Each structure stands twice: as C-alpha cells, then as structure tokens.
Amino acid sequence: IVRAHAQELQAQLMPRSTADAVRQVITATLARGEATQAATAKRLGVSQRTLRRRLAEEDSSFRALLDEVRYACARTYLDQDRLSSTEMALLLGFADASTLYRAFRRWHGTSLSAYRAARSGAEQE
C-alpha cells in the first residue's frame, strides 16, 4: 500500500512532458541567470540537440517556454507590487529594465506602466 501510494505521488510530481520539465527547470533557475538551453539540457540529462528535438515533437521550443515562464513570473511580481522594474528585470533574466519593457509590451500588448496603472485602478474600485 505504501509503495503504491509513493508511486502515485511520484507520478504526480513528475513532469508530464518535456515542455513541463523545461518549464520547471526554467522556473528554478531563472533568477540565478542559469535559464539557458545548455544548462537546462544538462539538468535534464540530455544533449541540447535532443532537447530541441523533443520540444519540437511537442510543437514547442526553449525560447517559447522561456518567454512563457518569464511572462507568468512578471505578472506574479507585478501583483505583489514590491519590486522595481530593474529588480524584476534581473529576476527574469533580462540585462536591464528596457529589455523587460519591450518584452512586456510584446507579451501583453500594453506597456508595463499602463498595466500597473490599470491594476492599481482596479484595486481602488
């Protein structure tokens, strides 16, 4: 019974796809600046070529997953409202805040400041 329960729990913790595994690694390494394709492949125990091939089989790419995780983290950081744009940029693995501004406009279609203003306006209502 214990073994069956342990296997069930392990199955729940295991990523269901290569993309899920990559998302987990990116999330764990992003703030340390280690969210690279090479480092991710190494942590997953595969070559970069194998990683690219497996992600392509799932109609995904490392760049797309990195972008997805960065956007999700950015929204979380914005909701907490405790970090400056420069701090957020560093935590998301960007070189500077201007790179974060451009990425956020691409992700969300609005500027970072417009998003913050809309969010704070909604909180006041």
Side-chain angles (χ1 to χ4, degrees), residues 48-124:
Q48 288 185 63
R49 183 179 173 124
T50 297
L51 180 60
R52 279 192 303 272
R53 187 181 71 250
R54 288 182 183 170
L55 289 173
E57 289 169 359
E58 297 176 11
D59 294 323
S60 191
S61 70
F62 181 81
R63 174 67 51 203
L65 295 172
L66 177 60
D67 224 30
E68 179 184 312
V69 170
R70 280 178 165 165
Y71 180 48
C73 289
R75 287 186 319 204
T76 300
Y77 296 152
L78 287 167
D79 289 343
Q80 294 173 354
D81 206 29
R82 286 182 258 164
L83 300 173
S84 71
S85 298
T86 302
E87 290 169 326
M88 277 182 27
L90 292 175
L91 288 172
L92 295 172
F94 291 114
D96 54 38
S98 64
T99 310
L100 168 62
Y101 295 144
R102 285 191 302 275
F104 194 83
R105 183 174 293 281
R106 183 173 33 89
W107 295 328
H108 200 264
T110 62
S111 69
L112 192 60
S113 57
Y115 179 88
R116 281 184 166 162
R119 208 179 112 279
S120 64
E123 286 177 1
Q124 291 176 357

Side-chain angles (χ1 to χ4, degrees), residues 33-50:
E34 298 170 7
T36 64
Q37 185 170 323
T40 300
K42 186 175 181 178
R43 283 190 73 158
L44 294 175
V46 298
S47 69
Q48 288 185 63
R49 183 179 173 124
T50 297

